[in-house]
Structure formats: structure tokens, C-alpha cells
Amino acid sequence: AYQYGYINIKNLDNTYIISNFALMKNFAAIDFETANQQRTSVCSVGIVIVRDGEIVDSYYSLIKPEPEYYSYWNTRVHGLTMEDTMNAKVFPEVWAEIQPKIEGLPLVAHNSPFDEGCLKSVFQMYQMDYPDYEFIAHAEPPEESWDFSYPTTNYKRSCLEVETPILQAIPGGATARPF
């Protein structure tokens, strides 16, 4: 039961781009950051739980990445370093806190192939049973509908506007807290 329409992607500098998206009343927005090019190296996760069109919960955690090293380029994207995650929980401990919150909900991600790939990879690395989560990608509109009069920034610095709730990227973190 999705409603189809347009939502705004609002950058932190208050500029907008428009995005075609399935508006849903129940979902979990999720975003991972990685320490390096390995999909298993998740170093943070953020989620926002939406039920009946309202934000009901959010969660953010740093994660001790595996393998435990940071690439220059990844740190440039999210600002996290080994110092930030040296005492963080490992993924299975973090996921044990997240799993009950998202049970039965589709997962929405700006770059779902990346986020779904991270989730599957880290589940496999820790030999955890993967429960076939439904991922829904944030879709871009056709090129002819783009308005280039508004500058855009890195997608990690964007937020999703879902009816009235806004999900904003946490600099140095994940897309998972109400604006």
C-alpha cells in the first residue's frame, strides 16, 4: 500500500532537488557508513522508524568496523576515524538492538544497493542468518525534470522529506535522525 508521488530532497544548505519516490506510511529509513572499500567495514548505522506516517523511533550507533582500518576517501565522506570507533560495539551487538525495531518494515535507503550490500556482507562475515529484508531505493526523477538552478551536495548531506517528517543526514554519521 504505497502512495506514489514526489518528495523533496533538502540539502543542509536549504536547496532542494525533487525526487520520485513511493511515499509509505510504515518503513525504516536506514543508512550505513563504511570505514573503507569493504562492504563489511560498516562503522556507523542510523535508522528512523516511521509508522502511520509518523516518526516513532530513531537509532544511531557507531560500529567497530571489520576490517578495522579507515581509508582517506571514506573518512572524507563521513568524517569518522578509527579513534571514533575504537571502543564501539561490533555489528552483531548493534544489530541485536536494531532488529526488533525494524521487524516487518521495508527498509528505505538513498543508495539501496550499497546499504543492502553492506547489510548482507556484514551478516555473512559474522555468520548470521540474513532474513531477506525488503529494500526500497530512493529513486531519482527523469533527467528532464531536474532543476539545475538549485545546487546539490553529496548525498550523505541530504535529507528525505516524507510528508512532514524530515530525515536528515548526521554529518559524520548516518541518515537517521529527525530534523
Side-chain angles (χ1 to χ4, degrees):
Y2 303 135
Q3 294 177 331
Y4 293 93
Y6 287 93
I7 63 168
N8 291 322
I9 304 301
K10 182 179 181 187
N11 295 311
L12 293 180
D13 59 2
N14 289 320
T15 60
Y16 289 87
I17 57 175
I18 303 300
S19 178
N20 189 12
F21 191 71
L23 295 177
M24 299 173 288
K25 294 213 176 262
N26 299 297
F27 64 92
I30 188 166
D31 191 38
F32 287 104
E33 300 297 340
T34 56
N36 54 62
Q37 71 279 8
Q38 302 295 315
R39 294 289 182 254
T40 59
S41 71
V42 294
C43 59
S44 74
V45 63
I47 63 168
V48 170
I49 307 299
V50 176
R51 294 191 188 274
D52 296 322
E54 300 289 327
I55 294 174
V56 296
D57 199 1
S58 64
Y59 178 92
Y60 175 77
S61 182
L62 295 171
I63 302 170
K64 188 172 196 140
E66 183 62 44
E68 192 179 5
Y69 70 90
Y70 280 78
S71 78
Y72 169 80
W73 296 108
N74 290 55
T75 294
R76 278 198 60 178
V77 169
H78 51 60
L80 296 172
T81 66
M82 191 172 310
E83 186 175 296
D84 296 313
T85 58
M86 66 184 351
N87 296 316
K89 298 174 188 175
V90 294
F91 178 80
E93 295 172 23
V94 172
W95 200 253
E97 296 173 3
I98 292 173
Q99 192 279 328
K101 296 175 182 290
I102 66 168
E103 192 168 341
L105 295 174
L107 303 179
V108 175
H110 175 82
N111 183 2
S112 67
F114 173 80
D115 293 294
E116 185 174 14
C118 288
L119 191 58
K120 286 180 176 178
S121 295
V122 78
F123 262 74
Q124 182 177 21
M125 187 193 70
Y126 283 103
Q127 300 177 349
M128 298 166 62
D129 291 330
Y130 187 79
D132 283 333
Y133 293 107
E134 176 188 7
F135 268 83
I136 298 172
H138 161 276
E140 294 296 332
E143 270 188 54
E144 60 271 12
S145 69
W146 293 353
D147 182 347
F148 290 102
S149 64
Y150 295 104
T152 60
T153 58
N154 181 309
Y155 77 89
K156 292 294 183 186
R157 300 186 62 79
S158 297
C159 62
L160 297 176
E161 197 175 306
V162 183
E163 295 176 357
T164 53
I166 297 175
L167 312 179
Q168 179 187 10
I170 302 168
T175 307
R177 105 179 142 76
F179 183 82

